Amino acid sequence: MSGSRRRPLVAGNWKMNTTVPEGIELARAIVALDRPDEVGVAVLPPFTHLWPICAELRGTGVELGAQNCFWEDAGAYTGEVSPAALAGWCDLVLIGHSERRHLMGETDEQVARKLRRALTHPLQIILAVGETLEQRDAGTTLTVIHRQLDAALDGLDPASLERVVIAYEPVWAIGTGRTATREQAQEVCAAIRTHVAGMVSAQAAERLLILYGGSCTPDNAAGLLAEPDIDGGLIGGASLKPAAFGAIIAAAARAVNATVDG
Ligand code: PEP
């Protein structure tokens, strides 16, 4: 839909990896990477790591995000973490990751409730959407993506959309080593932008960051990030390796600079 443009974001989803000391060490290694200004960088460590890593990241420009939150601000919800508790010192929260949808049984409705609650706080939300292999093979990829977007973003005003980033993550590509081709990823990311334009506004959709996630590595990042509707990556496995994560950040910088120069 558009030539780039938007400041890309490369966000590392550490999932349930690292101990607290290992996580602090990893955060320090990421802070030490060459991080060009034209690329936003974020890390999403496990909940237990957020507070000490917040101290490591202060003043560095690397943003801090949580991997999930609950849909209420407080109450008798044992084991859950409230967006109110994250707000003010975490920058981001990831909502609707496919591991939560498929392993923990999170529904579209629950994802929508989480997003609405998180939006009542000063947090940026990364909303993850994506189809399974069965859905792709059945030709229903866009139906699924539209349903997930409709459920989460229905009635959202343009100002709220400014605080939402969409991550397109085909479930069959996450942690499998099987990446979507750049054409497949671009097709869905462009469709997401068009759909959001219809739901919210064309201007808001034009500014929307849409990330690709799913076995993104230094080997395939340049191609994916060169696509006009892919504004960065949500990186799982490769975000645990500072050199690989740094190479993906560098690829994002090259992609955005090539667009600006071109
Ligand atoms: C993810 O979990 O969001 C992800 C994209 O994982 P990986 O890069 O390991 O496929």
Side-chain angles (χ1 to χ4, degrees):
M1 186 191 235
S2 56
S4 217
R5 56 330 140 145
R6 300 164 284 267
R7 183 174 185 246
L9 173 67
V10 177
N13 174 18
W14 296 3
K15 312 193 188 198
M16 199 180 73
N17 291 301
T18 72
T19 62
V20 174
E22 287 166 352
I24 291 171
E25 202 178 310
L26 179 56
R28 285 181 183 158
I30 288 165
V31 165
L33 291 171
D34 186 19
R35 292 178 286 107
D37 284 346
E38 52 269 45
V39 179
V41 175
V43 293
L44 283 67
F47 281 121
T48 43
H49 305 31
L50 288 171
W51 187 253
I53 288 180
C54 180
E56 297 293 330
L57 300 185
R58 197 162 293 128
T60 66
V62 177
E63 297 198 308
L64 181 65
Q67 298 173 16
N68 180 35
C69 70
F70 195 56
W71 57 74
E72 298 290 351
D73 279 341
Y77 305 105
T78 303
E80 293 294 336
V81 175
S82 131
L86 301 170
W89 58 282
C90 286
D91 304 291
L92 299 147
V93 60
L94 172 62
I95 291 177
H97 190 278
S98 70
E99 284 151 16
R100 298 213 56 86
R101 291 180 190 261
H102 295 285
L103 299 177
M104 318 301 168
E106 267 181 29
T107 64
D108 282 345
E109 196 228 332
Q110 290 171 333
V111 169
R113 290 179 72 186
K114 290 178 177 206
L115 185 131
R116 298 301 155 140
R117 183 64 70 176
L119 277 173
T120 67
H121 298 283
L123 287 164
Q124 198 171 11
I125 290 104
I126 302 180
L127 169 68
V129 297
E131 82 287 3
T132 63
L133 190 56
E134 292 69 35
Q135 291 163 335
R136 175 160 283 269
D137 289 345
T140 58
T141 296
L142 292 187
T143 310
V144 171
I145 302 288
H146 290 168
R147 190 201 71 223
Q148 292 171 340
L149 292 173
D150 289 344
L153 304 181
D154 182 43
L156 211 68
D157 58 278
S160 298
L161 188 71
E162 297 277 348
R163 294 201 283 121
V164 176
V165 172
I166 309 277
Y168 167 54
E169 299 207 306
V171 179
W172 46 273
I174 296 180
T176 58
R178 182 178 167 191
T179 320
T181 64
R182 56 188 286 183
E183 293 80 11
Q184 287 171 322
Q186 164 60 21
E187 183 190 12
V188 178
C189 291
I192 289 172
R193 198 176 304 285
T194 303
H195 195 70
V196 172
M199 287 186 76
V200 185
S201 83
Q203 291 85 347
E206 193 53 38
R207 286 197 292 272
L208 176 70
L209 287 189
I210 305 178
L211 315 182
Y212 167 78
S215 299
C216 186
T217 66
D219 293 337
N220 56 38
L224 288 159
L225 298 173
E227 292 294 337
D229 285 290
I230 302 179
D231 307 313
L234 183 57
I235 317 297
S239 73
L240 299 170
K241 301 174 198 134
F245 195 57
I248 295 171
I249 294 167
R254 279 196 301 277
V256 78
N257 288 332
T259 314
V260 171
D261 295 344

